[in-house]
């Protein structure tokens, strides 16, 4: 692969702009028979907490038109398993590593980030869609002041660049992006899932035991592209875009809207080679368009045109 796909994100150079959306790729182990992990720009791990989380009761997944709902509840085996099992596996395969971090309190986040400070990983992605148990369950990413505070706390102890993952379930996504930028974030990623609900009419009850779930897949892409565009034009830090990307054209939309990198999520479930197919497609696109670098199209869409 040529260096035409190389991008710089938060001071780090990646071979290409394609990574995986947290929670849709495990920590790479499950997908390694389909994907050469070294070919990806990076592998973004499933969210990890300071202790194991059991997640929500079942059923916790439901199909929707052009997408899915999930209420997994960030089930994960905890930071010890990530450090002892997953990170060595990814390193053996020469994968670039972005670790997604979740927590129920500021102290939870800080503990995980401190544990990762001396690990050989590339970046941290902080999931601020988690409910803050000390603030009545409101997500860290739904109030600007909370988002800025958690960003500052994490940045104080982080040794790697910090990406703050933004929730779309807010009134003004640009305001949230500016808040985490003020808190010292090195980048932002968006969008996380949209809150949705499905009723099982045959059982006359909720299709998901948690009642609501996060909606993802192609159905959310127009919302995601719009929010990525808004954020890219509101902050100076780079944007990692995601939300319904399933092919090269989708990826190009996000890049043209202003994303420096993109993440593939739900598509991994029905086509585990989506990431590699997009990388190949982007390479072909640069050749066809005569581009020296994929960076030439990042943010090329301008509202004044």
């Amino acid at each position: 692969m040529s260096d035409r796909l190389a991008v710089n994100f938060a001071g780090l150079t990646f071979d290409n702009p394609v990574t995986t959306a947290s929670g849709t790729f495990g920590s790479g182990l499950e997908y390694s028979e389909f994907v050469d992990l070294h070919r990806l720009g990076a592998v973004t791990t499933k969210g990890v907490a300071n202790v194991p989380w059991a997640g929500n009761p079942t059923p916790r997944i439901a199909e929707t038109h052009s997408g899915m709902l999930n209420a997994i509840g960030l089930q994960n085996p905890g930071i010890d398993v990530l450090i002892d099992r997953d990170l060595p596996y990814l390193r053996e395969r020469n994968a670039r590593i972005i670790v997604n971090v979740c927590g129920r309190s500021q102290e939870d986040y800080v503990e995980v980030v401190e544990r990762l400070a001396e690990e050989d990983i590339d970046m941290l992605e902080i999931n601020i869609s988690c409910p803050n148990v000390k603030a009545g369950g409101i997500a860290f990413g739904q109030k600007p002041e909370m988002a800025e505070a958690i960003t500052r706390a994490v940045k104080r102890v982080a040794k790697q660049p910090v990406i703050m993952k933004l929730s779309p379930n807010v009134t003004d996504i640009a305001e949230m992006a500016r808040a985490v930028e003020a808190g010292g974030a090195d980048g932002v990623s968006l969008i996380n899932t949209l809150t949705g609900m499905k009723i099982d009419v045959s059982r006359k009850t909720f299709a998901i035991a948690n009642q609501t779930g996060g909606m993802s897949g192609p159905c959310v892409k127009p919302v995601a592209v719009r929010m990525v565009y808004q954020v890219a034009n509101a902050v100076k830090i780079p944007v990692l875009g995601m939300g319904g990307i399933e092919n090269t054209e989708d990826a190009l939309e996000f890049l043209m809207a202003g994303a420096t990198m993109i993440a593939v999520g739900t598509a991994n479930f029905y086509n585990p080679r989506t990431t590699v197919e997009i990388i190949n497609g982007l390479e072909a696109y640069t050749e066809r368009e005569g581009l020296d670098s994929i960076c030439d199209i990042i943010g090329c869409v301008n509202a004044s045109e």
Side-chain angles (χ1 to χ4, degrees):
M1 184 167 58
S2 73
D3 60 3
R4 283 189 297 243
L5 295 189
V7 295
N8 183 291
F9 194 103
L12 300 179
T13 299
F14 295 88
D15 289 343
N16 63 73
V18 181
T19 184
T20 54
S22 176
T24 67
F25 205 76
S27 289
L29 285 72
E30 301 93 327
Y31 283 82
S32 58
E33 64 180 288
F34 304 103
V35 176
D36 176 359
L37 302 180
H38 178 62
R39 282 210 66 200
L40 303 182
V43 172
T44 302
T45 70
K46 181 171 176 55
V48 62
N50 58 332
V51 295
W53 286 10
N56 288 327
T58 58
R60 49 192 190 179
I61 293 178
E63 290 188 36
T64 67
H65 292 295
S66 299
M68 63 179 287
L69 289 170
N70 92 82
I72 303 301
L74 292 166
Q75 177 181 343
N76 72 90
I79 185 64
D80 290 333
V81 172
L82 179 91
I83 289 174
D84 295 339
R85 181 193 69 186
D86 297 349
L87 295 185
Y89 181 89
L90 289 169
R91 291 189 200 108
E92 286 172 5
R93 280 145 187 83
N94 295 314
R96 303 292 296 274
I97 305 170
I98 302 173
V99 175
N100 182 282
V101 178
C102 54
R104 295 190 177 100
S105 68
Q106 182 170 295
E107 292 77 13
D108 290 352
Y109 284 100
V110 168
E111 181 181 343
V112 175
V113 172
E114 285 180 323
R115 290 285 306 278
L116 291 168
E118 303 307 321
E119 294 294 326
D120 183 18
I121 61 176
D122 293 281
M123 291 196 294
L124 302 170
E125 181 183 57
I126 311 300
N127 178 7
I128 55 174
S129 294
C130 301
N132 183 352
V133 294
K134 294 184 178 180
I138 187 172
F140 287 93
Q142 288 184 316
K143 285 192 174 181
E145 60 272 22
M146 289 173 59
E148 182 176 346
I150 192 70
T151 305
R152 288 190 188 281
V154 166
K155 280 292 294 179
R156 276 196 292 268
V157 297
K159 294 295 195 296
Q160 301 89 359
V162 170
I163 308 168
M164 301 304 289
K165 188 169 186 178
L166 304 182
S167 169
N169 303 302
V170 296
T171 303
D172 187 347
I173 192 70
E175 180 183 26
M176 301 306 302
R178 286 190 289 265
V180 299
E181 182 180 41
D186 300 289
V188 289
S189 62
L190 65 149
I191 62 173
N192 209 325
T193 55
L194 290 157
T195 303
M197 178 184 287
K198 182 176 181 178
I199 305 297
D200 185 329
V201 297
S202 62
R203 295 191 301 124
K204 301 181 180 66
T205 189
F206 304 103
I208 293 176
N210 194 59
Q211 300 183 10
T212 63
M215 185 171 68
S216 63
C219 54
V220 310
K221 195 189 78 174
V223 176
V225 172
R226 183 262 297 177
M227 288 192 168
V228 164
Y229 176 81
Q230 287 180 301
V231 168
N233 285 279
V235 297
K236 293 181 172 59
I237 53 179
V239 175
L240 195 167
M242 66 193 77
I245 297 172
E246 58 179 352
N247 55 45
T248 302
E249 184 173 321
D250 294 337
L252 288 168
E253 276 196 68
F254 278 83
L255 294 171
M256 291 180 183
T260 299
M261 292 184 72
I262 61 97
V264 176
T266 301
N268 291 313
F269 296 136
Y270 54 86
N271 178 8
R273 287 187 52 80
T274 301
T275 48
V276 174
E277 290 173 4
I278 290 174
I279 292 168
N280 292 338
L282 291 175
E283 183 76 18
Y285 175 82
T286 59
E287 291 180 8
R288 187 169 66 251
E289 296 293 315
L291 300 177
D292 293 328
S293 169
I294 194 68
C295 297
D296 293 343
I297 67 158
I298 292 174
C300 68
V301 174
N302 191 305
S304 62
E305 294 178 350

